[in-house]
Amino acid sequence: GDSVTQMEGPVTLSEEAFLTINCTYTATGYPSLFWYVQYPGEGLQLLLKATKADDKGSNKGFEATYRKETTSFHLEKGSVQVSDSAVYFCASLRGGFKTIFGAGTRLFVKA
Amino acid sequence: DAGVIQSPRHEVTEMGQEVTLRCKPISGHDYLFWYRQTMMRGLELLIYFNNNVPIDDSGMPEDRFSAKMPNASFSTLKIQPSEPRDSAVYFCAAGPGAGNTIYFGEGSWLTVV
């Protein structure tokens, strides 16, 4: 079945550092791919998405590119802030309505 | 738009008691999902509805769990009897259709002692 694998956390960075959180997926066909973010005490909210190969999703300085050849959707940000501290979930959705979530990666950003 | 509204936000109950979690989805979103989040198991899909009809309940852990959606604006997740291992954050989420983003509520934080 479909699955999503993302790098284990926690990831600890200093403010203004470069962020990469790796995500790979397995699926038959071409799913839509998402990054969700969960701030402390809140539900998940969509950060960005891409629906086909080579699409780049971007929001709030975060970017991820849908790479069909490597089945990846890595999340990047050039300069993180303390306010980016959260848990980040990679997810895939193919055809139906059952979004598959990765295990989540916790990010701590130190001032 | 008020988003997905869940209640209660926090509940502490004793083992063996019945727990009812409530959800008001976003108007016009035909899909409703119940998820459970724990440190050990991450985010698990329990059940989802389309137009108030349960489509896939394969994630419901056991018969103690049940979910209903009597109308488009209300759903419940019930645990009877509750056990300490049910302690988790339960999220309700709504989506407008196939291939789309889903929108989460803020969660119900359940502790069973």
Side-chain angles (χ1 to χ4, degrees):
Chain A
D2 294 9
S3 66
V4 173
T5 302
Q6 57 183 109
M7 63 188 288
E8 288 190 23
V11 174
T12 303
L13 296 173
S14 297
E15 208 165 23
E16 300 183 2
F18 184 86
L19 168 71
T20 300
I21 300 178
N22 291 338
C23 171
T24 57
Y25 67 90
T26 58
T28 304
Y30 304 109
S32 295
L33 300 172
F34 304 81
W35 277 100
Y36 285 81
V37 58
Q38 184 180 28
Y39 298 104
E42 299 183 11
L44 283 70
Q45 55 186 277
L46 179 68
L47 180 60
L48 54 84
K49 69 178 183 181
T51 57
K52 60 183 188 296
D54 300 325
D55 267 3
K56 178 186 282 187
S58 62
N59 185 27
K60 299 181 181 179
F62 291 89
E63 292 183 340
T65 302
Y66 191 140
R67 302 285 187 200
K68 183 179 65 173
E69 62 277 11
T70 54
T71 63
S72 65
F73 193 55
H74 304 322
L75 182 68
E76 297 182 336
K77 186 175 185 183
S79 176
V80 293
Q81 305 300 311
V82 172
S83 57
D84 294 327
S85 297
V87 182
Y88 292 82
F89 292 87
C90 186
S92 74
L93 176 63
R94 180 177 58 84
F97 315 98
K98 205 167 175 177
T99 302
I100 307 297
F101 286 91
T105 302
R106 185 174 297 276
L107 170 66
F108 292 106
V109 180
K110 302 179 296 184
Chain B
D1 196 327
V4 176
I5 299 172
Q6 293 187 244
S7 63
R9 285 297 313 277
H10 298 272
E11 175 143 350
V12 180
T13 191
E14 291 185 345
M15 182 173 63
Q17 296 298 306
E18 178 180 290
V19 173
T20 299
L21 307 178
R22 298 172 177 81
C23 175
K24 181 181 188 316
I26 298 171
S27 176
H29 285 200
D30 296 334
Y31 291 87
L32 184 138
F33 307 83
W34 282 101
Y35 286 87
R36 178 172 69 177
Q37 186 178 39
T38 61
M39 289 294 291
M40 291 298 294
R41 301 174 69 92
L43 199 61
E44 303 172 275
L45 177 64
L46 301 178
I47 185 172
Y48 76 90
F49 296 82
N50 176 215
N51 290 324
N52 314 337
V53 176
I55 303 301
D56 183 350
D57 65 354
S58 59
M60 295 286 262
E62 47 197 276
D63 292 346
R64 297 184 297 106
F65 286 69
S66 62
K68 294 182 180 179
M69 192 167 185
N71 57 62
S73 59
F74 185 66
S75 177
T76 59
L77 177 67
K78 188 172 292 187
I79 309 172
Q80 166 63 21
S82 58
E83 296 182 4
R85 61 194 167 117
D86 301 331
S87 299
V89 185
Y90 291 82
F91 288 104
C92 178
N100 273 291
T101 305
I102 54 177
Y103 299 87
F104 283 77
E106 293 190 321
S108 291
W109 299 64
L110 174 65
T111 302
V112 183
V113 298

